[in-house]
Amino acid sequence: MDDVIQPGKQLIAAGYALYGAATTLMFSIGDGLHGFTLDPSLNEFILTHENIKVPYTGHQYSVNEGRTVLYDERTREMLQALKSQPSLDGKKRQLRYVGSLVADVHRTIMYGGVYMYPQNKNNPMGQVKLLYEAAPIAFLVANGGGQALTGLDPILELVPTSIHDRVPVFFGRLGKRNTLYSGLYSSHDPIC
């Protein structure tokens, strides 16, 4: 079990496949984040996005707003700030939430903004599984220059206590001047 119960910073590779109009494979072995697209005529994945960088600006945010009443006051304040303040690129922020971790995080990686699945009254420890969801995606986001946090702690630093540990997650290019630190949060401890 010790081989499995390790912090995400011990990962050596991670990836995901996204199926839609095109089949995309995002992959990292720790040397950047790379995207491959399936070419059906060759039946091979072709490198189409080399050294992807999560954009610093982005006007989209992704969260299940149907659970807003279950979020703590600080998270509700952050959501209100996201809705009322423009992003760094001057655009009005827009909610984009599919409900699929991979699809929503993929959009954040490619176009910026933030993906969040905060803890709530029903899930005080968060909902996303640390070992096989949060840590691998955190590895990818970090290799694309982004950050992956629980709201306070870097996800890749967390040491799991069991295979099914759950954590809240905030993925994106996070910093004092962008999405999660706008106005209201500049005077508080960081939520991400």
Side-chain angles (χ1 to χ4, degrees), residues 62-156:
S62 184
V63 63
N64 185 350
E65 284 200 87
R67 294 180 180 243
T68 300
V69 297
L70 299 175
Y71 297 148
D72 62 24
E73 184 61 29
R74 192 167 173 196
T75 303
R76 287 194 304 271
E77 288 175 3
M78 182 188 61
L79 286 174
Q80 187 57 42
L82 285 170
K83 293 179 203 178
S84 64
Q85 299 173 10
S87 62
L88 287 179
D89 59 10
K91 294 181 181 177
K92 181 178 184 204
R93 291 197 176 103
Q94 299 175 340
L95 171 68
R96 293 285 183 263
Y97 182 73
V98 174
S100 164
L101 177 65
V102 170
D104 287 325
V105 169
H106 182 76
R107 184 180 47 253
T108 300
I109 287 171
M110 298 305 291
Y111 302 109
V114 62
Y115 171 86
M116 56 189 129
Y117 206 124
Q119 70 274 16
N120 61 61
K121 291 177 185 173
N122 292 344
N123 299 292
M125 300 305 294
Q127 185 67 22
V128 180
K129 283 81 168 181
L130 175 59
L131 276 176
Y132 45 93
E133 292 175 330
I137 289 181
F139 183 82
L140 295 172
V141 170
N143 273 280
Q147 289 80 34
L149 305 162
T150 64
L152 295 174
D153 302 310
I155 290 171
L156 293 175

Side-chain angles (χ1 to χ4, degrees), residues 11-45:
L11 285 169
I12 58 172
Y16 63 76
L18 186 65
Y19 305 97
T23 301
T24 303
L25 173 69
M26 299 292 272
F27 187 75
S28 179
I29 56 172
D31 67 343
L33 177 59
H34 311 287
F36 300 81
T37 304
L38 179 64
D39 182 335
S41 67
L42 300 173
N43 205 25
E44 293 181 7
F45 282 93

